[in-house]
Amino acid sequence: MEILWILFAMLMIVFVVGPYVRRRRGGIRLAAPGSPDAADPANYGFDRQEELDIRLPGPDQDLLDALDHVQRTGQWQAASQLLAGTPREGELRWQRVQAFGGAAALELVAQPGVGARWLKAWRLEAEKDAGGAQVHAELLVQQAWRHSGGVGSEDHRIILEEAREACRKAALLSPGDPVPYITELAVARGLAYPEAEFDVLWAEVIDRAPDHMGAHLAALHYWCAKWHGSREKADAFAHAAAARAPQGSLLAALPLFALYENLPDLVLSSGFHRSEAVTRAVGGALYAANSARPDDPVLAHVRHLLLLFLVNMERWAEAMDQVRHVDGYVGALPWSAAEDPAAQYAVYRALAVAGYEANGGSPATLPH
């Protein structure tokens, strides 16, 4: 038990006073708050922790404007118009459906039976609207995973079965759209589809969007050891997708996500983050990030995960490069898995700044 208390104390030090780190040539150490030697992310123009947006991985002003309108007025038409104008086979539509569904889920938690009236009106007044049907299916999935009493509970199963039916109704309204099938991937994980049934569902996805990174991330969960696969199956799935990734595709970063999903709860080996497996996965993700279109909607997801690994690898300049691209938004793994995503991100950002400055970096030397 004593070692557990020591480890817990070390974690508390990192997460509570992590932002107060002092720059030293070649290394970093903790410093008192307000110390003139403490690294300060504000010197780089980064957002304060309380300003970080936990809803999105990166900027999407059109989405934020539509979401603000429907929540403020209760009128769903802005959301419908935005989704109707978003290409159905791309990553952006999937992310926007997730955002609307997540916002509705949070409203219902805050105001049970009253929240998300705009979505209820959308479904009642435009039953054949494919966007509304997809958002409704996503709402049910998020309710099942976040607010149903936990995996294995009866409520969890009942809501997921309702979500499965909603996904299939949404698919009928837009036959060529991959989004309902991608949403069902989370249902498949929760209801433990047999592999043969999952393969049939996966075929529906890749027939419509073979290089969809969001779909691959959703499917990867199923193949991980903590769900219905194994480390070997998850790695095989990720590496096969990366191997056939076309130029400019972020699928080359998928092995890094597989590595993250299979991480032990506590990494005790100091050499883990310098191992060949980690170095290779990070290299593939950096290549993918540097080759992708700057406006690729999934690029921010890759950069957020890279930040975690690059800080742990003490590759400070590369870590800072990720921060300058994603700062302001923390709605992505690994931060979204934490109870306080903004605080978790802020710790790693502070460590990146301190390590960068300890090795000669400064605001003047960081590219813009």
Side-chain angles (χ1 to χ4, degrees), residues 156-166 187 191:
H156 182 74
R157 182 187 62 78
I158 290 172
I159 297 174
L160 282 179
E161 288 179 349
E162 186 180 352
R164 175 168 56 187
E165 183 62 24
V187 176
L191 293 181

Side-chain angles (χ1 to χ4, degrees), residues 324-340:
R324 75 180 181 88
H325 280 98
V326 303
D327 194 69
Y329 301 87
V330 295
L333 288 174
W335 329 121
S336 58
E339 186 173 339
D340 187 340

Side-chain angles (χ1 to χ4, degrees), residues 260-340:
Y260 171 77
E261 292 296 336
N262 284 308
L263 280 177
D265 291 335
L266 190 61
V267 177
L268 293 175
S269 171
S270 60
F272 172 79
H273 286 98
R274 294 182 177 84
S275 66
E276 181 181 352
V278 173
T279 300
R280 186 168 57 247
V282 167
L286 283 169
Y287 169 80
N290 292 332
S291 303
R293 300 189 331 269
D295 63 346
D296 191 309
V298 188
L299 180 54
H301 288 275
V302 176
R303 292 195 183 280
H304 280 291
L305 193 61
L306 273 169
L307 175 58
L308 172 80
F309 279 92
L310 290 168
V311 165
N312 287 325
M313 297 168 82
E314 299 182 4
R315 291 166 60 170
W316 308 116
E318 291 165 297
M320 284 291 284
D321 189 48
Q322 310 314 313
V323 174
R324 75 180 181 88
H325 280 98
V326 303
D327 194 69
Y329 301 87
V330 295
L333 288 174
W335 329 121
S336 58
E339 186 173 339
D340 187 340

Side-chain angles (χ1 to χ4, degrees), residues 5-361:
W5 283 110
I6 293 172
L7 291 171
F8 179 77
M10 291 171 63
L11 288 171
M12 288 298 293
I13 289 173
V14 170
F15 289 111
V16 176
V17 299
Y20 308 114
V21 286
R22 174 177 293 175
R23 313 176 296 277
R24 296 187 68 194
R25 179 65 58 181
I28 58 177
R29 68 178 183 182
L30 297 178
S35 166
D37 290 330
D40 187 354
N43 292 338
Y44 295 81
F46 298 148
D47 287 355
R48 296 196 303 270
Q49 180 177 323
E50 60 271 22
E51 296 173 338
L52 297 170
D53 193 324
I54 66 172
R55 298 170 296 177
L56 301 175
D60 186 347
Q61 194 58 50
D62 289 340
L63 169 64
L64 293 177
D65 289 345
L67 186 56
D68 174 69
H69 179 80
V70 299
Q71 291 183 316
R72 180 167 40 82
T73 67
Q75 299 175 358
W76 52 269
Q77 286 81 0
S80 176
Q81 290 168 6
L82 180 65
L83 290 181
T86 306
R88 63 187 184 183
E89 68 278 0
E91 308 278 354
L92 189 59
R93 183 180 179 89
W94 164 235
Q95 290 199 22
R96 286 174 169 175
V97 167
Q98 282 189 303
F100 283 124
L106 289 174
E107 284 186 47
L108 285 169
V109 171
Q111 299 175 294
V114 178
R117 285 184 173 177
W118 54 271
L119 181 54
K120 296 173 187 175
W122 191 355
R123 297 298 295 128
L124 287 171
E125 297 169 19
E127 186 180 353
K128 301 298 184 182
D129 187 304
Q134 291 173 9
V135 172
H136 177 236
E138 179 63 28
L139 161 67
L140 292 170
V141 167
Q142 295 209 25
Q143 282 184 313
W145 283 105
R146 297 172 182 264
H147 313 295
S148 66
V151 177
S153 70
E154 184 67 9
D155 283 349
H156 182 74
R157 182 187 62 78
I158 290 172
I159 297 174
L160 282 179
E161 288 179 349
E162 186 180 352
R164 175 168 56 187
E165 183 62 24
C167 288
R168 294 177 180 180
K169 288 180 178 178
L172 293 174
L173 293 174
S174 185
D177 195 328
V179 169
Y181 298 98
I182 299 173
T183 302
E184 192 179 345
L185 292 172
V187 176
R189 177 162 49 102
L191 293 181
Y193 283 18
E195 287 189 14
E197 186 177 354
F198 186 86
D199 287 340
V200 171
L201 173 61
W202 181 238
E204 297 283 4
V205 174
I206 60 174
D207 280 351
R208 292 163 174 80
D211 302 319
H212 198 291
M213 180 67 170
H216 281 78
L217 290 173
L220 178 63
H221 290 298
Y222 178 92
W223 293 114
C224 287
K226 59 188 173 184
W227 290 107
H228 310 297
S230 64
R231 179 185 296 273
E232 292 74 23
K233 287 182 177 180
D235 284 345
F237 176 80
H239 282 91
R244 61 173 173 76
Q247 178 66 28
S249 169
L250 287 167
L251 287 175
L254 200 61
L256 185 65
F257 286 86
L259 186 66
Y260 171 77
E261 292 296 336
N262 284 308
L263 280 177
D265 291 335
L266 190 61
V267 177
L268 293 175
S269 171
S270 60
F272 172 79
H273 286 98
R274 294 182 177 84
S275 66
E276 181 181 352
V278 173
T279 300
R280 186 168 57 247
V282 167
L286 283 169
Y287 169 80
N290 292 332
S291 303
R293 300 189 331 269
D295 63 346
D296 191 309
V298 188
L299 180 54
H301 288 275
V302 176
R303 292 195 183 280
H304 280 291
L305 193 61
L306 273 169
L307 175 58
L308 172 80
F309 279 92
L310 290 168
V311 165
N312 287 325
M313 297 168 82
E314 299 182 4
R315 291 166 60 170
W316 308 116
E318 291 165 297
M320 284 291 284
D321 189 48
Q322 310 314 313
V323 174
R324 75 180 181 88
H325 280 98
V326 303
D327 194 69
Y329 301 87
V330 295
L333 288 174
W335 329 121
S336 58
E339 186 173 339
D340 187 340
Q344 181 89 329
Y345 167 82
V347 167
Y348 275 83
R349 181 179 64 183
L351 290 169
V353 169
Y356 182 66
E357 295 186 354
N359 289 274

